[in-house]
Amino acid sequence: MKQSMTLIPTLREVPSDAEVKSHQLLLRAGFIRQNASGVYTYMPLGRKVLQKVEAIIREEMNNAGAAELFMPALQQAELWQESGRWYSYGPELMRLRDRHDREFALGATHEEVITSLVRDEVKSYKRLPLTLYQIQTKFRDEKRPRFGLLRGREFIMKDAYSFHANQESLDQVYDRLFQAYSNVFKRCGLNFRAVIADSGAMGGKDTHEFMVLSDIGEDTIAYSDTSDFAANIEMAPVTAVYEKSSEPANSLEKVHTENKKTIEEVSSFLQVQEKDCIKSLLFKVDDRQILVLVRGDHEVNDIKLKNFLEASVVELADVNTTKEVLGCSVGSLGPIGVENVEVFADHAVEAIVNGVCGANVEDYHFKNVNPERDFKVSAYADLRFIKEGDPSPDGQGTIVFAKGIEVGHVFKLGTRYSEAMNAVFLDENGRTQPMIMGCYGIGVSRTMAAVAEQFSDENGLVWPSNITPFDVHLIAVNMKDSDQAALAEELYSNLKDSGLDVLLDDRQERPGVKFADSDLIGLPVRITVGKKAGEGIVEVKIRKNGDMQEVHKDQLADTIKGILQEL
Ligand code: 9G3
């Protein structure tokens, strides 16, 4: 490709509304242009990277036995009404009406469409298992689109769906696609972790997110400093064991704690440690209230609470409800004497001796509180967020936190959609059964941005050789110099004939501009045709580490192929 024939509008200055590196660089290097908030055009260079990422995904998915199809983005409302999600999703689901006033959704995901297709076409266990996938544009009306392609309102996803007669079949396909995902992200050059994730509203038990480690990631990962254990912080189980101190239980004492509300105010006022305090929070759980207790230095994990109580709605009760139900504000809540709501506590609370908790009277607390003597709970459970320094749940090493960008997500769905939409099959005994499903997503455009986030330096992007838009950037210092122009043209056709993808900068621009643009665009290898053109000698520079060498044109193709293999 000759730069004079394509469109690569590089920018000198950093766009003000781009907060993260990948967003700034993809804009400055002319890979993307914004059309509207969260809506982008993939320019020629960006499109080429997407095509390479998609090619890797297709290879791995096809290898794993999945068949590619292509579903519509326009989805009838009726399908989403059958699954119930037409009513459960809010403004994030983009909806429109056609000319006959019939309602549609713009596809945010395709469980409904694929399930309605398979229920019509598959009736017998002999046709299972079946794994279908597509690479398609998705629409989600994010409240705050940000970070360029990392959180857009229109984005490219590979989404796959598998259908099974039994659980073992799902487990097999899940594991095979899990491996395919690891291959995809490895081949894209990404430093990623597969983390145990909460299945949230998706139902199903097993689910893993593929996280690219990055400080600007929106998710927090808890991982072991010595093993490969890694979990989304919402899901990471806590296996810490708590030593109950042997000090004698002193008698309960009610103390006035004027205006002391937070754990640190109360603990410093009463000269006790935060870990000897009991933090009590009232939650609205479906249609009732629950009082949840955690140790003063811990936080309630509402996802764990929801899963433990098998509830569908869990949220902190508001101030008025708290006052109504327990007669005081949050800062004075406690479990002692509470009869009208159920009380649950995290395991750590059980080991507290002579602790402190609110007295359910404004500005009063109890000292020398001892669980089981002074209050009972319906159950102790793992209800807190894991913390750095906790033992890793797999028993190996200690937990460390990191931020991650979710680029993939695999779910065991179970029969959530097949039951709702009657996707059934006849099993080998002639009985009608709902199909068991799995679903698997990769954010394709997000993966490109994650690579840009992980591989860039102060001069610009640095593309891994597997997904670079072009293999080689061929630059003539001065196209008006006949030796240089001639050699550049000769090398352009020879390198292409040798199978290399070449971008020739044939613009009438000053050398400085060409070199700055080349560093910004970030192709893995740059060839400079300069003063020694007459001798057939060019300069070869590796973008990643800046290594330079002079090479004669006869060795050029092999030298470059060797370099690309090594990168
Ligand atoms: C919606 C909207 C947003 C959504 C969903 C539906 C996330 C939704 C979860 C998934 C699960 C899997 C198949 C590929 C892998 C991920 N955000 N999810 O279902 F209507 Cl507006 O998409 N789907």
CSV table of all heavy atoms in Angstrom, one decimal, residues 365-414:
chain,number,residue,atom,x,y,z
A,365,HIS,N,-23.0,3.1,71.5
A,365,HIS,CA,-22.4,1.8,71.1
A,365,HIS,C,-22.3,0.9,72.3
A,365,HIS,O,-22.3,1.3,73.5
A,365,HIS,CB,-21.0,2.1,70.5
A,365,HIS,CG,-21.1,2.6,69.1
A,365,HIS,ND1,-21.5,3.9,68.8
A,365,HIS,CD2,-20.9,1.9,67.9
A,365,HIS,CE1,-21.5,4.0,67.4
A,365,HIS,NE2,-21.2,2.9,66.9
A,366,PHE,N,-22.1,-0.4,72.0
A,366,PHE,CA,-21.8,-1.4,73.1
A,366,PHE,C,-20.3,-1.7,73.0
A,366,PHE,O,-19.7,-1.8,71.9
A,366,PHE,CB,-22.6,-2.7,72.9
A,366,PHE,CG,-24.0,-2.6,73.3
A,366,PHE,CD1,-25.1,-2.8,72.3
A,366,PHE,CD2,-24.4,-2.4,74.6
A,366,PHE,CE1,-26.4,-2.7,72.7
A,366,PHE,CE2,-25.7,-2.3,75.0
A,366,PHE,CZ,-26.7,-2.5,74.1
A,367,LYS,N,-19.7,-1.9,74.2
A,367,LYS,CA,-18.3,-2.4,74.3
A,367,LYS,C,-18.4,-3.9,74.9
A,367,LYS,O,-19.5,-4.3,75.4
A,367,LYS,CB,-17.5,-1.6,75.3
A,367,LYS,CG,-17.1,-0.3,74.7
A,367,LYS,CD,-16.3,0.6,75.7
A,367,LYS,CE,-14.9,-0.1,76.1
A,367,LYS,NZ,-14.1,0.8,76.9
A,368,ASN,N,-17.4,-4.6,74.7
A,368,ASN,CA,-17.3,-6.0,75.2
A,368,ASN,C,-18.4,-6.9,74.7
A,368,ASN,O,-19.1,-7.6,75.4
A,368,ASN,CB,-17.4,-6.0,76.8
A,368,ASN,CG,-16.3,-5.2,77.4
A,368,ASN,OD1,-15.2,-5.2,76.9
A,368,ASN,ND2,-16.6,-4.5,78.5
A,369,VAL,N,-18.6,-6.7,73.3
A,369,VAL,CA,-19.6,-7.5,72.7
A,369,VAL,C,-19.1,-8.8,72.3
A,369,VAL,O,-17.9,-8.9,71.8
A,369,VAL,CB,-20.1,-6.8,71.4
A,369,VAL,CG1,-21.1,-7.6,70.6
A,369,VAL,CG2,-20.7,-5.4,71.7
A,370,ASN,N,-19.8,-9.9,72.6
A,370,ASN,CA,-19.3,-11.3,72.3
A,370,ASN,C,-20.4,-12.0,71.5
A,370,ASN,O,-21.5,-12.2,72.1
A,370,ASN,CB,-18.9,-12.0,73.6
A,370,ASN,CG,-17.6,-11.4,74.2
A,370,ASN,OD1,-16.6,-11.7,73.7
A,370,ASN,ND2,-17.8,-10.5,75.1
A,371,PRO,N,-20.1,-12.4,70.3
A,371,PRO,CA,-21.1,-13.1,69.5
A,371,PRO,C,-21.5,-14.4,70.2
A,371,PRO,O,-20.8,-14.9,71.0
A,371,PRO,CB,-20.3,-13.5,68.2
A,371,PRO,CG,-19.2,-12.5,68.1
A,371,PRO,CD,-18.9,-12.1,69.5
A,372,GLU,N,-22.7,-14.8,69.9
A,372,GLU,CA,-23.4,-15.9,70.5
A,372,GLU,C,-23.9,-15.6,71.9
A,372,GLU,O,-25.0,-16.0,72.3
A,372,GLU,CB,-22.5,-17.2,70.5
A,372,GLU,CG,-22.2,-17.7,69.1
A,372,GLU,CD,-23.5,-17.7,68.2
A,372,GLU,OE1,-24.4,-18.5,68.5
A,372,GLU,OE2,-23.6,-16.9,67.2
A,373,ARG,N,-23.1,-14.9,72.7
A,373,ARG,CA,-23.6,-14.5,74.1
A,373,ARG,C,-24.6,-13.3,73.9
A,373,ARG,O,-25.7,-13.3,74.5
A,373,ARG,CB,-22.5,-14.1,75.0
A,373,ARG,CG,-22.9,-13.7,76.4
A,373,ARG,CD,-21.8,-13.0,77.2
A,373,ARG,NE,-21.6,-11.6,76.8
A,373,ARG,CZ,-20.7,-10.8,77.3
A,373,ARG,NH1,-19.9,-11.3,78.3
A,373,ARG,NH2,-20.5,-9.6,76.9
A,374,ASP,N,-24.1,-12.3,73.2
A,374,ASP,CA,-24.9,-11.1,73.1
A,374,ASP,C,-25.8,-11.0,71.9
A,374,ASP,O,-26.7,-10.2,71.9
A,374,ASP,CB,-24.0,-9.9,73.1
A,374,ASP,CG,-23.0,-9.9,74.3
A,374,ASP,OD1,-23.5,-10.4,75.4
A,374,ASP,OD2,-21.9,-9.5,74.2
A,375,PHE,N,-25.6,-11.8,70.8
A,375,PHE,CA,-26.5,-11.8,69.7
A,375,PHE,C,-26.3,-13.1,68.9
A,375,PHE,O,-25.3,-13.7,69.0
A,375,PHE,CB,-26.3,-10.6,68.8
A,375,PHE,CG,-24.9,-10.6,68.1
A,375,PHE,CD1,-24.8,-11.2,66.9
A,375,PHE,CD2,-23.8,-10.0,68.7
A,375,PHE,CE1,-23.5,-11.2,66.2
A,375,PHE,CE2,-22.6,-10.0,68.1
A,375,PHE,CZ,-22.4,-10.6,66.8
A,376,LYS,N,-27.4,-13.5,68.3
A,376,LYS,CA,-27.4,-14.7,67.4
A,376,LYS,C,-27.5,-14.2,66.0
A,376,LYS,O,-28.0,-13.2,65.7
A,376,LYS,CB,-28.6,-15.6,67.8
A,376,LYS,CG,-28.5,-16.1,69.2
A,376,LYS,CD,-27.9,-17.5,69.2
A,376,LYS,CE,-28.0,-18.2,70.6
A,376,LYS,NZ,-27.0,-17.6,71.6
A,377,VAL,N,-26.9,-15.1,65.1
A,377,VAL,CA,-27.1,-14.8,63.6
A,377,VAL,C,-27.8,-16.0,63.0
A,377,VAL,O,-27.6,-17.1,63.5
A,377,VAL,CB,-25.8,-14.5,62.9
A,377,VAL,CG1,-25.1,-13.3,63.5
A,377,VAL,CG2,-24.9,-15.7,63.0
A,378,SER,N,-28.5,-15.8,61.9
A,378,SER,CA,-29.1,-16.9,61.2
A,378,SER,C,-28.0,-17.8,60.6
A,378,SER,O,-28.2,-19.0,60.5
A,378,SER,CB,-30.0,-16.4,60.0
A,378,SER,OG,-31.1,-15.7,60.6
A,379,ALA,N,-26.9,-17.2,60.1
A,379,ALA,CA,-25.8,-18.0,59.6
A,379,ALA,C,-24.6,-17.1,59.4
A,379,ALA,O,-24.7,-15.9,59.3
A,379,ALA,CB,-26.2,-18.5,58.2
A,380,TYR,N,-23.4,-17.8,59.6
A,380,TYR,CA,-22.1,-17.2,59.2
A,380,TYR,C,-21.8,-17.6,57.8
A,380,TYR,O,-22.0,-18.8,57.5
A,380,TYR,CB,-21.1,-17.6,60.2
A,380,TYR,CG,-21.2,-17.0,61.6
A,380,TYR,CD1,-21.8,-17.7,62.7
A,380,TYR,CD2,-20.8,-15.7,61.8
A,380,TYR,CE1,-21.9,-17.1,63.9
A,380,TYR,CE2,-20.9,-15.0,63.0
A,380,TYR,CZ,-21.4,-15.7,64.1
A,380,TYR,OH,-21.6,-15.2,65.3
A,381,ALA,N,-21.3,-16.7,57.0
A,381,ALA,CA,-21.0,-17.1,55.6
A,381,ALA,C,-19.9,-16.3,55.1
A,381,ALA,O,-19.4,-15.3,55.7
A,381,ALA,CB,-22.2,-17.0,54.7
A,382,ASP,N,-19.4,-16.6,53.9
A,382,ASP,CA,-18.3,-15.8,53.3
A,382,ASP,C,-19.0,-14.6,52.6
A,382,ASP,O,-19.5,-14.8,51.4
A,382,ASP,CB,-17.6,-16.7,52.2
A,382,ASP,CG,-16.6,-15.8,51.4
A,382,ASP,OD1,-16.4,-14.6,51.8
A,382,ASP,OD2,-16.0,-16.3,50.4
A,383,LEU,N,-19.1,-13.5,53.2
A,383,LEU,CA,-19.8,-12.4,52.7
A,383,LEU,C,-19.0,-11.1,52.5
A,383,LEU,O,-19.5,-10.0,52.3
A,383,LEU,CB,-21.0,-12.0,53.7
A,383,LEU,CG,-22.0,-13.1,53.9
A,383,LEU,CD1,-23.0,-12.7,55.0
A,383,LEU,CD2,-22.7,-13.5,52.6
A,384,ARG,N,-17.7,-11.3,52.6
A,384,ARG,CA,-16.9,-10.0,52.5
A,384,ARG,C,-16.0,-10.0,51.2
A,384,ARG,O,-15.8,-11.1,50.6
A,384,ARG,CB,-16.0,-9.9,53.7
A,384,ARG,CG,-14.8,-10.8,53.8
A,384,ARG,CD,-13.8,-10.4,54.9
A,384,ARG,NE,-12.7,-11.3,55.2
A,384,ARG,CZ,-11.5,-11.2,54.6
A,384,ARG,NH1,-11.3,-10.3,53.7
A,384,ARG,NH2,-10.5,-12.0,55.0
A,385,PHE,N,-15.6,-8.9,50.8
A,385,PHE,CA,-14.6,-8.8,49.7
A,385,PHE,C,-13.3,-9.3,50.2
A,385,PHE,O,-12.9,-9.0,51.3
A,385,PHE,CB,-14.4,-7.3,49.3
A,385,PHE,CG,-15.5,-6.9,48.3
A,385,PHE,CD1,-16.6,-6.1,48.7
A,385,PHE,CD2,-15.4,-7.2,47.0
A,385,PHE,CE1,-17.5,-5.7,47.8
A,385,PHE,CE2,-16.4,-6.8,46.1
A,385,PHE,CZ,-17.5,-6.0,46.5
A,386,ILE,N,-12.6,-10.0,49.3
A,386,ILE,CA,-11.2,-10.4,49.6
A,386,ILE,C,-10.3,-9.2,49.7
A,386,ILE,O,-10.7,-8.2,49.1
A,386,ILE,CB,-10.7,-11.4,48.5
A,386,ILE,CG1,-9.6,-12.3,49.0
A,386,ILE,CG2,-10.3,-10.7,47.2
A,386,ILE,CD1,-9.3,-13.5,48.2
A,387,LYS,N,-9.2,-9.3,50.4
A,387,LYS,CA,-8.3,-8.1,50.6
A,387,LYS,C,-6.9,-8.5,50.2
A,387,LYS,O,-6.6,-9.7,50.3
A,387,LYS,CB,-8.3,-7.6,52.0
A,387,LYS,CG,-9.5,-6.9,52.5
A,387,LYS,CD,-9.4,-6.5,53.9
A,387,LYS,CE,-8.5,-5.3,54.2
A,387,LYS,NZ,-8.6,-4.9,55.6
A,388,GLU,N,-6.1,-7.6,49.8
A,388,GLU,CA,-4.7,-7.9,49.5
A,388,GLU,C,-4.1,-8.4,50.8
A,388,GLU,O,-4.4,-7.9,51.9
A,388,GLU,CB,-3.9,-6.6,49.1
A,388,GLU,CG,-4.4,-6.2,47.7
A,388,GLU,CD,-3.3,-5.3,47.0
A,388,GLU,OE1,-3.2,-4.1,47.4
A,388,GLU,OE2,-2.6,-5.8,46.1
A,389,GLY,N,-3.3,-9.5,50.7
A,389,GLY,CA,-2.7,-10.0,51.9
A,389,GLY,C,-3.5,-11.2,52.5
A,389,GLY,O,-2.9,-12.0,53.2
A,390,ASP,N,-4.7,-11.4,52.0
A,390,ASP,CA,-5.5,-12.6,52.4
A,390,ASP,C,-4.8,-13.8,51.8
A,390,ASP,O,-4.1,-13.7,50.8
A,390,ASP,CB,-6.9,-12.5,51.9
A,390,ASP,CG,-7.8,-11.7,52.8
A,390,ASP,OD1,-7.5,-11.6,54.0
A,390,ASP,OD2,-8.9,-11.2,52.3
A,391,PRO,N,-4.9,-15.0,52.4
A,391,PRO,CA,-4.4,-16.2,51.8
A,391,PRO,C,-5.1,-16.5,50.5
A,391,PRO,O,-6.3,-16.2,50.4
A,391,PRO,CB,-4.6,-17.3,52.8
A,391,PRO,CG,-5.7,-16.8,53.7
A,391,PRO,CD,-5.6,-15.3,53.7
A,392,SER,N,-4.3,-17.0,49.5
A,392,SER,CA,-5.0,-17.3,48.2
A,392,SER,C,-5.9,-18.5,48.5
A,392,SER,O,-5.5,-19.5,49.1
A,392,SER,CB,-3.9,-17.7,47.2
A,392,SER,OG,-4.6,-18.2,46.0
A,393,PRO,N,-7.1,-18.5,47.9
A,393,PRO,CA,-8.1,-19.6,48.2
A,393,PRO,C,-7.6,-20.9,47.8
A,393,PRO,O,-8.1,-21.9,48.3
A,393,PRO,CB,-9.3,-19.2,47.3
A,393,PRO,CG,-9.2,-17.7,47.1
A,393,PRO,CD,-7.7,-17.4,47.1
A,394,ASP,N,-6.6,-21.0,46.9
A,394,ASP,CA,-6.1,-22.3,46.5
A,394,ASP,C,-5.0,-22.8,47.4
A,394,ASP,O,-4.3,-23.8,47.2
A,394,ASP,CB,-5.6,-22.3,45.0
A,394,ASP,CG,-4.4,-21.4,44.9
A,394,ASP,OD1,-4.0,-20.8,45.9
A,394,ASP,OD2,-3.8,-21.4,43.8
A,395,GLY,N,-4.8,-22.0,48.5
A,395,GLY,CA,-3.9,-22.4,49.5
A,395,GLY,C,-2.4,-22.2,49.2
A,395,GLY,O,-1.5,-22.5,49.9
A,396,GLN,N,-2.2,-21.5,48.0
A,396,GLN,CA,-0.8,-21.2,47.6
A,396,GLN,C,-0.6,-19.7,47.5
A,396,GLN,O,-1.2,-19.1,46.6
A,396,GLN,CB,-0.5,-21.9,46.2
A,396,GLN,CG,-0.7,-23.4,46.2
A,396,GLN,CD,-0.7,-23.9,44.8
A,396,GLN,OE1,0.3,-23.6,44.1
A,396,GLN,NE2,-1.7,-24.7,44.4
A,397,GLY,N,0.2,-19.2,48.4
A,397,GLY,CA,0.6,-17.8,48.3
A,397,GLY,C,-0.5,-16.8,48.8
A,397,GLY,O,-1.4,-17.2,49.4
A,398,THR,N,-0.2,-15.6,48.6
A,398,THR,CA,-1.0,-14.5,49.1
A,398,THR,C,-1.7,-13.7,48.0
A,398,THR,O,-1.1,-13.5,46.9
A,398,THR,CB,-0.1,-13.6,50.0
A,398,THR,OG1,0.6,-14.4,50.9
A,398,THR,CG2,-0.9,-12.6,50.8
A,399,ILE,N,-2.8,-13.1,48.3
A,399,ILE,CA,-3.6,-12.3,47.3
A,399,ILE,C,-3.0,-11.0,47.0
A,399,ILE,O,-2.6,-10.2,48.0
A,399,ILE,CB,-5.1,-12.2,47.7
A,399,ILE,CG1,-5.7,-13.6,47.6
A,399,ILE,CG2,-5.8,-11.1,46.9
A,399,ILE,CD1,-5.8,-14.1,46.2
A,400,VAL,N,-2.9,-10.6,45.8
A,400,VAL,CA,-2.5,-9.3,45.3
A,400,VAL,C,-3.5,-8.8,44.4
A,400,VAL,O,-4.2,-9.6,43.7
A,400,VAL,CB,-1.1,-9.4,44.5
A,400,VAL,CG1,-0.6,-8.0,44.1
A,400,VAL,CG2,-0.1,-10.1,45.4
A,401,PHE,N,-3.8,-7.5,44.3
A,401,PHE,CA,-4.8,-6.9,43.4
A,401,PHE,C,-4.1,-6.4,42.1
A,401,PHE,O,-3.0,-6.0,42.2
A,401,PHE,CB,-5.5,-5.8,44.1
A,401,PHE,CG,-6.6,-6.2,45.1
A,401,PHE,CD1,-7.3,-5.3,45.8
A,401,PHE,CD2,-6.8,-7.6,45.3
A,401,PHE,CE1,-8.3,-5.7,46.7
A,401,PHE,CE2,-7.8,-8.0,46.3
A,401,PHE,CZ,-8.5,-7.0,47.0
A,402,ALA,N,-4.9,-6.4,41.0
A,402,ALA,CA,-4.4,-5.7,39.8
A,402,ALA,C,-5.7,-5.3,39.1
A,402,ALA,O,-6.8,-5.9,39.2
A,402,ALA,CB,-3.7,-6.7,38.9
A,403,LYS,N,-5.5,-4.3,38.2
A,403,LYS,CA,-6.6,-3.8,37.4
A,403,LYS,C,-6.6,-4.6,36.1
A,403,LYS,O,-5.5,-4.9,35.6
A,403,LYS,CB,-6.5,-2.3,37.2
A,403,LYS,CG,-6.9,-1.4,38.4
A,403,LYS,CD,-8.3,-1.6,38.7
A,403,LYS,CE,-8.8,-0.6,39.8
A,403,LYS,NZ,-10.2,-0.9,40.2
A,404,GLY,N,-7.8,-4.9,35.5
A,404,GLY,CA,-7.8,-5.6,34.3
A,404,GLY,C,-8.9,-5.0,33.3
A,404,GLY,O,-9.9,-4.4,33.8
A,405,ILE,N,-8.6,-5.2,32.0
A,405,ILE,CA,-9.6,-4.9,31.0
A,405,ILE,C,-10.2,-6.2,30.5
A,405,ILE,O,-9.4,-7.1,30.1
A,405,ILE,CB,-8.9,-4.2,29.8
A,405,ILE,CG1,-8.2,-2.9,30.2
A,405,ILE,CG2,-9.9,-4.0,28.6
A,405,ILE,CD1,-7.3,-2.3,29.1
A,406,GLU,N,-11.5,-6.4,30.6
A,406,GLU,CA,-12.1,-7.6,30.2
A,406,GLU,C,-12.2,-7.7,28.7
A,406,GLU,O,-12.8,-6.9,28.0
A,406,GLU,CB,-13.6,-7.7,30.8
A,406,GLU,CG,-14.3,-9.0,30.4
A,406,GLU,CD,-15.8,-9.0,30.7
A,406,GLU,OE1,-16.1,-8.3,31.7
A,406,GLU,OE2,-16.5,-9.6,30.0
A,407,VAL,N,-11.5,-8.7,28.1
A,407,VAL,CA,-11.5,-8.8,26.6
A,407,VAL,C,-12.3,-10.1,26.2
A,407,VAL,O,-12.6,-10.3,25.0
A,407,VAL,CB,-10.1,-8.8,26.0
A,407,VAL,CG1,-9.5,-7.5,26.1
A,407,VAL,CG2,-9.2,-9.9,26.7
A,408,GLY,N,-12.6,-10.9,27.2
A,408,GLY,CA,-13.3,-12.2,26.8
A,408,GLY,C,-14.1,-12.6,28.0
A,408,GLY,O,-13.8,-12.3,29.2
A,409,HIS,N,-15.2,-13.4,27.7
A,409,HIS,CA,-16.0,-13.8,28.8
A,409,HIS,C,-16.7,-15.1,28.4
A,409,HIS,O,-17.3,-15.2,27.3
A,409,HIS,CB,-17.1,-12.8,29.2
A,409,HIS,CG,-17.6,-12.9,30.5
A,409,HIS,ND1,-18.2,-11.9,31.2
A,409,HIS,CD2,-17.6,-14.0,31.4
A,409,HIS,CE1,-18.6,-12.3,32.4
A,409,HIS,NE2,-18.2,-13.6,32.6
A,410,VAL,N,-16.5,-16.2,29.2
A,410,VAL,CA,-17.2,-17.5,28.8
A,410,VAL,C,-18.1,-17.9,29.9
A,410,VAL,O,-17.8,-17.7,31.1
A,410,VAL,CB,-16.1,-18.6,28.5
A,410,VAL,CG1,-15.4,-18.3,27.2
A,410,VAL,CG2,-15.1,-18.7,29.7
A,411,PHE,N,-19.3,-18.4,29.5
A,411,PHE,CA,-20.3,-18.7,30.5
A,411,PHE,C,-20.9,-20.1,30.3
A,411,PHE,O,-21.1,-20.5,29.2
A,411,PHE,CB,-21.6,-17.8,30.3
A,411,PHE,CG,-21.4,-16.4,30.6
A,411,PHE,CD1,-20.8,-15.6,29.6
A,411,PHE,CD2,-21.8,-15.8,31.7
A,411,PHE,CE1,-20.7,-14.2,29.8
A,411,PHE,CE2,-21.7,-14.4,31.9
A,411,PHE,CZ,-21.1,-13.6,30.9
A,412,LYS,N,-21.2,-20.8,31.4
A,412,LYS,CA,-22.0,-22.0,31.3
A,412,LYS,C,-23.4,-21.5,31.6
A,412,LYS,O,-23.7,-21.1,32.8
A,412,LYS,CB,-21.6,-23.1,32.3
A,412,LYS,CG,-20.3,-23.7,31.8
A,412,LYS,CD,-19.9,-24.8,32.8
A,412,LYS,CE,-18.5,-25.4,32.3
A,412,LYS,NZ,-18.0,-26.4,33.3
A,413,LEU,N,-24.3,-21.4,30.6
A,413,LEU,CA,-25.6,-20.8,30.8
A,413,LEU,C,-26.6,-21.7,31.4
A,413,LEU,O,-27.6,-21.3,32.0
A,413,LEU,CB,-26.1,-20.3,29.4
A,413,LEU,CG,-25.7,-19.0,28.9
A,413,LEU,CD1,-26.4,-18.7,27.6
A,413,LEU,CD2,-26.0,-17.9,29.9
A,414,GLY,N,-26.5,-23.1,31.1
A,414,GLY,CA,-27.5,-24.0,31.6
A,414,GLY,C,-28.7,-23.8,30.7
A,414,GLY,O,-28.6,-23.7,29.5
